[in-house]
Amino acid sequence: MDHFSENNVSQLWLDQEGQIFEYSAQAPAPSKDFCQVVVTPVQVIFRWWKITHRNAEGQRLHPGEIKECYEDFLHDDRTQSMISCAFGEHMLDYVINLCHGHLDYIQRLPANVMRNILKHVDLEDIARVSMLNKSFHQFSNDDELWRQMFANATAITEELEDLAKEQGWKKLYFSNKLQIQMQLQRKRRTEGDGTDNKKTFLTHAYHDEVQPRN
């Protein structure tokens, strides 16, 4: 089995605590205990905190904890069952895959790297990527990603920056030239600036490249 080790896991794939993965949540009824699973480069840790009333003497229950190396965890049906009961079968499968060395490298990439990748992906494919999971959905709707894509098509002015703060760069990206000019004019009137001293002109590249969605 292709397990991780402290030497072959790059710091790029670890969080600030040196962990490969961490998840915590309240277990479903009837337990409702608060549970946590952690995967480090060398072991799996499962913790649980009993959600219960203190007894008459005010005694506090200490959290339970199981620490196992990958090999032990993969052969421990009891710990696997506890993780499954707390978080569901899909979480258990995910942890087992991590123990086998199957790391989800793509969604662990830094945000700036993911933006650079998505900038070169067709719009239809970005929509498909956003449906893969929660992480890819966040990456695909990242405001800075759409700002960079907008900037590739036309110069960004101060007025556009202000408009984007209200509507977001993704919405502006899928607006056509006329729609944006009309929105800027309305914004000037709302702010009491009806003069033509400050105008934003969109380039032909933007007009040709970006078309509004139906």
Side-chain angles (χ1 to χ4, degrees):
M1 287 179 285
D2 184 20
H3 294 171
F4 296 117
S5 73
E6 290 180 297
N7 295 325
N8 64 17
V9 178
S10 169
Q11 291 296 318
L12 177 64
W13 315 120
L14 305 180
D15 62 19
Q16 294 180 346
E17 304 298 326
Q19 303 166 157
I20 295 173
F21 176 72
E22 185 277 333
Y23 183 77
S24 56
Q26 188 175 27
S31 168
K32 294 190 176 181
D33 294 339
F34 188 81
C35 301
Q36 178 192 46
V37 60
V38 176
V39 180
T40 75
V42 295
Q43 63 183 350
V44 176
I45 305 170
F46 180 69
R47 301 185 179 102
W48 63 95
W49 291 259
K50 290 288 184 182
I51 306 300
T52 181
H53 294 291
R54 297 182 183 180
N55 59 26
E57 298 177 355
Q59 182 180 359
R60 180 177 298 178
L61 297 176
H62 296 286
E65 180 181 77
I66 297 174
K67 290 184 177 182
E68 296 179 326
C69 67
Y70 291 173
E71 198 71 38
D72 290 345
F73 170 75
L74 292 172
H75 292 89
D76 189 341
D77 293 338
R78 177 175 174 270
T79 303
Q80 292 186 27
S81 177
M82 293 173 71
I83 292 177
S84 177
C85 290
F87 304 120
E89 193 69 23
H90 69 287
M91 181 62 70
L92 174 60
D93 291 340
Y94 183 76
V95 173
I96 289 176
N97 282 330
L98 289 178
C99 292
H100 282 294
H102 302 152
L103 187 63
D104 47 348
Y105 291 102
I106 294 180
Q107 68 181 37
R108 291 171 182 269
L109 290 173
N112 63 317
V113 176
M114 282 299 301
R115 290 190 199 107
N116 194 44
I117 293 174
L118 291 175
K119 280 194 304 183
H120 298 87
V121 174
D122 293 337
L123 294 180
E124 295 81 1
D125 291 330
I126 292 181
R128 296 188 184 98
V129 167
S130 70
M131 295 186 289
L132 291 176
N133 56 38
K134 182 178 180 180
S135 296
F136 281 111
H137 179 77
Q138 292 175 339
F139 277 129
S140 301
N141 289 277
D142 179 68
D143 202 51
E144 180 58 27
L145 166 67
W146 293 101
R147 184 189 185 281
Q148 293 179 14
M149 294 180 68
F150 195 102
N152 287 339
T154 190
I156 294 179
T157 65
E158 183 179 341
E159 277 191 310
L160 286 173
E161 290 277 9
D162 291 340
L163 192 60
K165 291 178 182 178
E166 300 175 1
Q167 302 186 16
W169 285 107
K170 184 177 181 180
K171 184 175 181 180
L172 284 186
Y173 185 88
F174 288 107
S175 300
N176 64 25
K177 180 179 179 181
L178 179 60
Q179 288 174 325
I180 294 179
Q181 295 289 11
M182 292 177 63
Q183 291 176 56
L184 289 173
Q185 290 175 9
R186 285 196 297 268
K187 183 175 176 60
R188 292 188 195 112
R189 289 196 295 267
T190 301
E191 295 175 352
D193 181 8
T195 67
D196 292 332
N197 294 332
K198 183 174 67 173
K199 286 189 176 181
T200 293
F201 296 95
L202 302 179
T203 65
H204 291 293
Y206 173 82
H207 181 66
D208 295 337
E209 179 180 335
V210 181
Q211 297 298 330
R213 285 180 171 176
N214 295 329

